[in-house]
Amino acid sequence: MYPPSRKDFISLTLSDPHSHTYNNGKHRRQSCWRKWKQLSRLQRSLILFLLALLLIFGLLSYPGITEQWGGLSDREDWLELNDRELKDVPPDVKPVLGPAAGKAPAPVAGPHVGAALGPDAVAEPRGPNVPILAKPPIKKKTFPKRGPPTMQRDGNVSDTVGGEKRGQELVQDGGEDEDKEKKIVSWRGAMIEADQATEPPPSASEKEAAAPPANPADTVPLEVSTGKVDRLEAVRDAFRHAWKGYKDYAWGHDELKPISKSFGEWFGLGLTLIDSLDTMWIMGLKEEFEEAKNWVEKELSFNKNADVNLFETTIRILGGLLSTYHLTGDHLFLEKAKDLGSRLMPAFKTPSKIPFSDVNIGKGTAHPPRWTSDSTLAEVTSIQLEFRELSRLTQEPQYQEVVNEVMELVHNLPGKQDGLVPMFINTNSGQFTHKGVFTLGARADSYYEYLLKQWLQGGKTEDSLLEDYLQAVEGVKKHLVRQTGPSRLTFVGELSHNRFNPKMDHLVCFLPGTLALGAHNSLPGDHMDLAVQLMETCHRMYTQMETGLSPEIAHFSLQASDGRDVVVKPADRHNLLRPETVESLFYMYRFTKDTKYRDWGWEILQSFNKYTKVSGGGYTSINNVRDPVNPGPRDKMESFFLGETLKYLYLLFSDDMELLSLDKYVFNTEAHPLPIWPSPPK
Ligand code: DMJ
């Protein structure tokens, strides 16, 4: 069914674990392969020689490139992990927490990392593939990385708003001063009016010599509000601003490109609009909701030749439709959810029953990514809440059956280490691949989240889910939790073949919230202790940065003599407006009522407003959280900023504890609330 494995060439693919590059078609791949085979040996050698030259050139210019172009996106960084030469941990660094007492099942015996490791765990060089994966220069007209060329329609890109002007359109907004005149930050940090934003960007050397901001107050950390400000209204304002950009420049398309006032397509399904529906409902933005609902009713069709990623489509679109159905009771959303759910089912037609990553919802065909027949762990084990709920609502068991089968297979598979699970699973063999590499970050994160949440969704009746969850937390404590040298911050690192790497993705910041949710549901109390410690660390990942925004990936210093706890590598300095930290702040506030969690969330919102808000509408991902003068806007607003980040901030500031009570709802991994099922009559 798929091309035979090809061992005599190297395929480089720009990829993101949560975005998942499209497969552009088997036929095109086959024809490229055929053409390659038709070349003479000399021609092939020549091409390979040229490629090698390019690679060497790229390597030589690497530091400059990464500095200038920012880091890898999270869809690129999976290529890195196995290439990293992970270094050792000092022998005196011990896990912070011991095995849980009480209710947790005893962890399976496995090698303990700490004792075997040596010093010097922090700064390993980036692998040689990085320069190749670096982003193209900003001036070059680019297409969104996701989606096949046929779907890559750029919207109304203005000729006058090219790469040169990027960075000039960030609205300077202190959050509390929503009403004050909007200003913008130039490349040098000086405040200028929007209509004067014509200054070209500095060259690299100019940037070095750039004067400090005209107004130093623009770059000093923001002070925590005293509570006079209506924080809920501030979040609604942020949502309205984001929505305005989407509505004006990207209506009905997947994602807003706020700097170029344009849009990008990924699936061509109005992703941001659907991801935002329940947020608007929760915030009471009725007018905006009605407009969006009208689009869903009149324009949204899944009957199209579109390759979509099963996981992303499930968590964002299916999840969004199901939760909106629950909140509104409007059957339009359930009908759409049913239609989509049935079109995603071909993904499960694999030899192993582990689903393929991609499905064509029009043709009813499915396939793995271009470079492998593996699926990632998180992708196949974080679609269950949605499919199970679809079965419950429709009384059609097939959705629940296919995803339960995946969980059962994973539950019984060898290759785990104390409940930690490898990141890849093969769709043919149904076995784990890349064994021995464990992370709570990209490609694995929501597996752990969904173990607990499925158990809660089903009324705490499915023992194997709880068993796997409890065992995994023990595995995390045993193998992945460490403390930094300077301030004794607790963090969750990664393990590769028994070597510890003190690297933590921002994605891991979902964990404090999930641990707190478990503890709230009578799981061991030390889960809450760990949640409190990790929450502090995720907070510091923001406060230790000059912009007050977290990098995508943090490395932690293990030696007390190291100056700072958080070290950020050049390629990891970006911020994609991700939700995980504010998500956990929401859980922590709900369960502890400690107002510091609200204050931390408020600081984050203000930093988003200060460094990522774009005049004219929308917020943008940025390249460099360490540079408040030029944070380097990326010209992209991810749908999860509206679907998750702003929703969790709103819920964090709301005093209404019954608004989506955590005893009645579980939030899917895209922040779409689904009901906890009523207990069956006894
Ligand atoms: C979201 O799509 C989901 O939260 C997913 O589980 C992880 N990545 C993004 C947000 O960062």
Side-chain angles (χ1 to χ4, degrees):
M1 191 171 173
Y2 296 96
S5 73
R6 299 177 297 238
K7 297 191 175 136
D8 53 347
F9 74 106
I10 295 168
S11 165
L12 284 174
T13 308
L14 298 179
S15 116
D16 168 38
H18 293 293
S19 302
H20 310 286
T21 312
Y22 277 92
N23 182 320
N24 285 340
K26 185 171 65 172
H27 299 297
R28 209 177 67 179
R29 291 199 310 274
Q30 283 176 335
S31 109
C32 286
W33 178 238
R34 238 180 270 125
K35 279 179 191 152
W36 173 256
K37 296 285 273 183
Q38 284 162 3
L39 295 176
S40 72
R41 184 176 292 236
L42 180 68
Q43 286 170 317
R44 286 195 224 168
S45 305
L46 200 60
I47 290 169
L48 288 174
F49 176 68
L50 284 172
L51 282 174
L53 267 185
L54 275 174
L55 180 68
I56 290 164
F57 178 77
L59 280 173
L60 288 176
S61 55
Y62 161 62
I65 291 172
T66 50
E67 282 291 332
Q68 189 182 340
W69 295 347
L72 303 177
S73 76
D74 61 348
R75 55 197 71 100
E76 291 151 355
D77 65 7
W78 77 271
L79 285 170
E80 271 185 281
L81 189 66
N82 294 324
D83 291 340
R84 283 172 194 257
E85 193 183 316
L86 303 175
K87 297 201 177 168
D88 298 339
V89 147
D92 60 329
V93 178
K94 297 275 191 298
V96 178
L97 300 166
K103 300 177 190 172
V108 175
H112 192 290
V113 179
L117 304 175
D120 216 3
V122 180
E124 77 277 16
R126 189 158 287 279
N129 54 345
V130 170
I132 298 165
L133 295 170
K135 290 178 65 179
I138 221 163
K139 279 184 185 171
K140 214 165 147 187
K141 178 161 164 42
T142 56
F143 294 99
K145 273 181 263 174
R146 301 174 302 202
T150 48
M151 291 182 63
Q152 303 286 18
R153 285 169 291 143
D154 253 10
N156 47 337
V157 181
S158 158
D159 287 336
T160 58
V161 187
E164 288 86 354
K165 286 176 67 180
R166 291 172 190 194
Q168 297 181 340
E169 298 215 348
L170 295 183
V171 174
Q172 177 61 38
D173 185 342
E176 293 178 41
D177 299 324
E178 280 287 338
D179 297 338
K180 92 179 171 206
E181 194 179 2
K182 300 281 191 264
K183 297 190 171 183
I184 59 174
V185 184
S186 83
W187 281 99
R188 292 180 179 83
M191 302 292 293
I192 53 173
E193 300 297 330
D195 56 4
Q196 295 172 336
T198 54
E199 185 185 29
S203 67
S205 56
E206 277 176 316
K207 201 180 147 197
E208 285 285 320
N215 179 0
D218 298 333
T219 56
V220 297
L222 294 160
E223 286 188 6
V224 175
S225 156
T226 52
K228 284 182 214 142
V229 179
D230 184 344
R231 292 175 175 183
L232 275 181
E233 199 47 40
V235 186
R236 281 159 54 101
D237 280 348
F239 185 94
R240 285 194 199 96
H241 186 82
W243 188 250
K244 175 180 172 359
Y246 177 74
K247 190 175 164 190
D248 288 353
Y249 307 116
W251 184 251
H253 298 286
D254 282 340
E255 289 160 336
L256 169 68
K257 297 169 76 175
I259 303 291
S260 54
K261 301 191 184 326
S262 172
F263 59 83
E265 291 293 32
W266 184 6
F267 308 139
L269 296 175
L271 190 62
T272 296
L273 188 149
I274 300 173
D275 221 359
S276 306
L277 284 167
D278 56 6
T279 307
M280 290 186 275
W281 183 264
I282 292 162
M283 290 183 181
L285 298 171
K286 291 188 184 149
E287 210 175 286
E288 290 85 349
F289 179 83
E290 284 306 322
E291 280 174 328
K293 180 190 150 184
N294 199 35
W295 183 88
V296 171
E297 194 171 1
K298 307 262 167 54
E299 308 288 335
L300 177 62
S301 168
F302 297 122
N303 187 16
K304 62 197 292 187
N305 178 7
D307 254 350
V308 304
N309 176 275
L310 171 67
F311 165 71
E312 299 288 0
T313 307
T314 299
I315 66 168
R316 302 190 197 210
I317 300 184
L318 185 57
L321 291 169
L322 289 172
S323 68
T324 308
Y325 166 67
H326 278 294
L327 296 175
T328 63
D330 189 327
H331 278 264
L332 163 68
F333 300 106
L334 180 57
E335 290 309 315
K336 291 289 180 189
K338 273 200 266 188
D339 184 24
L340 177 60
S342 65
R343 291 170 184 274
L344 294 175
M345 288 296 276
F348 295 87
K349 287 188 188 147
T350 68
S352 65
K353 306 286 170 46
I354 297 295
F356 287 133
S357 59
D358 298 85
V359 198
N360 188 304
I361 52 173
K363 292 183 185 164
T365 54
H367 55 85
R370 190 183 304 172
W371 59 90
T372 176
S373 56
D374 290 350
S375 286
T376 68
L377 174 74
E379 286 187 343
V380 302
T381 57
S382 317
I383 50 180
Q384 279 66 12
L385 291 176
E386 299 82 356
F387 274 74
R388 284 156 48 114
E389 178 61 8
L390 186 59
S391 269
R392 193 180 72 91
L393 290 172
T394 59
Q395 294 295 299
E396 292 175 21
Q398 67 270 26
Y399 306 112
Q400 174 150 356
E401 280 165 8
V402 289
V403 294
N404 281 352
E405 185 152 9
V406 174
M407 292 312 295
E408 211 176 304
L409 285 167
V410 171
H411 175 70
N412 292 318
L413 268 188
K416 297 178 196 165
Q417 188 165 334
D418 295 340
L420 301 178
V421 177
M423 297 145 65
F424 296 97
I425 187 162
N426 190 273
T427 51
N428 293 320
S429 68
Q431 300 294 315
F432 291 128
T433 63
H434 302 75
K435 288 184 194 165
V437 182
F438 302 105
T439 176
L440 266 277
R443 294 170 290 284
D445 47 1
S446 41
Y447 160 72
Y448 302 98
E449 176 189 351
Y450 268 36
L451 287 175
L452 177 70
K453 289 182 173 176
Q454 286 177 81
W455 179 68
L456 295 175
Q457 179 191 44
K460 306 182 183 177
T461 57
E462 296 150 291
D463 294 342
S464 63
L465 293 167
L466 177 62
E467 195 183 306
D468 287 352
Y469 177 73
L470 290 172
Q471 201 176 30
V473 176
E474 292 310 302
V476 169
K477 288 192 293 189
K478 182 172 177 183
H479 297 292
L480 304 183
V481 171
R482 295 286 187 279
Q483 283 190 333
T484 60
S487 312
R488 314 302 293 167
L489 290 181
T490 302
F491 69 95
V492 177
E494 297 181 349
L495 196 65
S496 180
H497 307 292
N498 288 335
R499 290 190 168 199
F500 182 75
N501 185 9
K503 160 187 177 278
M504 179 166 146
D505 295 350
H506 181 273
L507 289 166
V508 182
C509 289
F510 81 93
L511 189 58
T514 298
L515 289 169
L517 180 63
H520 174 72
N521 284 281
S522 309
L523 301 190
D526 69 346
H527 289 202
M528 191 63 186
D529 299 339
L530 182 57
V532 169
Q533 292 168 28
L534 291 174
M535 192 73 262
E536 172 78 36
T537 304
C538 291
H539 166 59
R540 298 282 189 95
M541 283 164 63
Y542 284 71
T543 57
Q544 292 198 1
M545 298 301 116
E546 287 78 351
T547 55
L549 292 172
S550 169
E552 174 74 357
I553 299 172
H555 285 74
F556 290 96
S557 303
L558 293 167
Q559 309 293 347
S561 54
D562 289 337
R564 40 164 79 221
D565 297 287
V566 184
V567 176
V568 189
K569 300 190 174 188
D572 303 334
R573 289 173 177 168
H574 47 295
N575 179 295
L576 305 183
L577 312 171
R578 285 199 191 276
E580 291 75 19
T581 295
V582 293
E583 168 185 354
S584 283
L585 289 171
F586 157 64
Y587 284 99
M588 296 302 288
Y589 179 74
R590 279 267 170 119
F591 297 137
T592 66
K593 300 293 182 305
D594 186 336
T595 54
K596 80 177 176 199
Y597 296 124
R598 282 183 159 179
D599 292 341
W600 293 354
W602 178 240
E603 287 174 43
I604 292 172
L605 176 62
Q606 289 178 93
S607 292
F608 277 135
N609 277 333
K610 190 171 171 79
Y611 294 107
T612 71
K613 191 171 181 179
V614 180
S615 70
Y619 288 73
T620 179
S621 304
I622 56 172
N623 275 327
N624 191 353
V625 295
R626 310 241 25 213
D627 188 347
V629 178
N630 176 21
R634 284 190 155 196
D635 196 15
K636 181 164 174 177
M637 183 174 76
E638 299 276 356
S639 76
F640 52 67
F641 183 63
L642 293 85
E644 294 194 74
T645 311
L646 294 177
K647 182 189 289 152
Y648 281 129
L649 281 166
Y650 187 83
L651 293 172
L652 170 65
F653 299 141
S654 170
D655 288 328
D656 182 358
M657 299 297 128
E658 283 307 304
L659 178 58
L660 299 172
S661 158
L662 291 169
D663 295 319
K664 295 181 185 151
Y665 288 90
V666 280
F667 286 80
N668 86 340
T669 193
E670 189 75 6
H672 298 303
L674 299 172
I676 289 173
W677 298 343
S679 309
K682 291 188 178 149

